[in-house]
Amino acid sequence: MAELKVEHLEVRYGDLVGVADISLAVADGQVVALLGSNGAGKTTTLNAIAGLAQVARGRIEWRGETISGEPAYAIVSKGLALSPEGWRLFVGQTVEQNLRLGATALADRSRIEALFDRVYTLFPRLAERRRQSAGTLSGGERQMLALGRALMSEPRLLMLDEPSLGLAPAVVEQLYDTLKELHRQGLTLLLAEQSIPLALGIADYAYVLQTGRIALEGPAAELERNEQVQEIYLGMSAVNSV
Ligand SMILES: Nc1ncnc2c1ncn2[C@@H]1O[C@H](COP(=O)(O)OP(=O)(O)OP(=O)(O)O)[C@@H](O)[C@H]1O
Ligand SMILES: [Mg+2]
């Protein structure tokens, strides 16, 4: 059974359409990728799932329950966490304070110390810099912090919005190793990426978005061989499905 189901999602920004019609499913333990070029609707889709963008039409279901329309904190407390595009850190606050904010919706407060341990084990650099303000961190470290903050709510589904953006290749490689480790530990991942090889290298299944709709979807191994993926990126292909 799908843990997360998005059905005919439409999100509007005033008169503008953010996404027009997105349907997708994520099963327990899967890694699912959302691919698409600039403006395709990846961030809007993740924000709608996280309760940060208002759903105009359609429905979002989490483990059999409709969550569209619920506030962001309620969605986090149900086990969905987002590591957002551009990190959205509190740069004047310390690493530790930023991480603690990630645990705001955590029902079982006694879990906090164990969650700090988990994040600091995963990212020793954050442990070394725990008393440093987030504004002093490098790009790679900020991405670690955004990811760590999402993990502080002890999610079952972790959503990541373009975690590789602006990072050096070696840092990206490390980050993806961490994502693979988190997946091995049982976390379900929904990942928005512009980089096709990165996303398909980790995903089980992928959706390719184009101007707010699903243009193509399939198992990652199949999409890797599908030339249409590249064409959609370059805006050369009509909407199609496999
Ligand atoms: N706050 C906003 N106000 C108005 N329009 C917006 C807003 N955010 C996004 N949009 C529009 O919604 C559409 C989808 O944007 P979105 O940011 O979801 O794309 P994306 O796939 O995440 O792109 P990128 O790869 O550049 O991050 C675009 O046409 C964009 O211009
Ligand atoms: Mg985006």
Side-chain angles (χ1 to χ4, degrees):
M1 193 188 86
E3 287 224 295
L4 176 75
K5 240 196 293 189
V6 174
E7 290 172 345
H8 301 295
L9 173 70
E10 181 186 321
V11 177
R12 309 187 67 92
Y13 297 106
D15 289 340
L16 296 170
V17 176
V19 297
D21 186 2
I22 300 281
S23 296
L24 60 88
V26 182
D28 186 21
Q30 256 190 337
V31 179
V32 172
L34 297 182
L35 285 163
S37 56
N38 289 122
K42 304 179 297 295
T43 297
T44 302
T45 302
L46 293 185
N47 283 349
I49 297 168
L52 299 168
Q54 205 189 333
V55 174
R57 262 168 39 138
R59 209 166 70 91
I60 301 169
E61 189 182 295
W62 170 244
R63 309 185 73 207
E65 180 194 356
T66 300
I67 57 166
S68 31
E70 296 214 17
Y73 71 86
I75 291 174
V76 176
S77 71
K78 290 179 198 296
L80 299 92
L82 171 67
S83 175
E85 187 177 67
W87 316 309
R88 294 201 214 143
L89 300 170
F90 290 92
V91 290
Q93 302 219 29
T94 65
V95 165
E96 191 145 311
Q97 285 167 332
N98 273 277
L99 288 176
R100 199 171 287 280
L101 285 169
T104 307
L106 192 70
D108 182 1
R109 307 307 295 171
S110 69
R111 296 283 304 143
I112 286 197
E113 288 315 311
L115 289 165
F116 268 120
D117 281 350
R118 182 187 187 202
V119 170
Y120 287 148
T121 304
L122 214 50
F123 301 116
R125 294 171 76 100
L126 293 184
E128 290 163 19
R129 290 160 176 76
R130 66 177 78 186
R131 311 236 177 277
Q132 222 167 289
S133 76
T136 65
L137 299 181
S138 71
E141 290 160 356
R142 287 178 198 217
Q143 181 56 60
M144 290 175 202
L145 182 52
L147 179 50
R149 183 184 52 189
L151 291 175
M152 288 298 290
S153 64
E154 205 164 29
R156 202 179 149 107
L157 171 75
L158 175 63
M159 297 185 276
L160 297 121
D161 196 348
E162 302 212 40
S164 70
L165 200 71
L167 305 185
V171 179
V172 171
E173 201 175 312
Q174 265 179 20
L175 182 71
Y176 268 72
D177 284 345
T178 305
L179 295 184
K180 284 176 191 156
E181 171 60 19
L182 288 169
H183 177 233
R184 207 189 51 75
Q185 291 175 9
L187 212 60
T188 305
L189 301 179
L190 178 57
L191 174 70
E193 260 298 347
Q194 275 199 39
S195 161
I196 302 171
L198 266 182
L200 296 185
I202 190 175
D204 300 301
Y205 197 89
Y207 296 86
V208 185
L209 277 60
Q210 187 180 31
T211 55
R213 296 173 193 275
I214 307 288
L216 194 68
E217 65 172 273
E222 274 176 35
L223 291 184
E224 264 176 337
R225 296 190 296 268
N226 191 326
E227 285 172 9
Q228 265 191 317
V229 177
Q230 301 280 353
E231 290 171 12
I232 289 167
Y233 265 56
L234 300 170
M236 294 178 338
S237 172
V239 173
N240 248 310
S241 62
V242 281

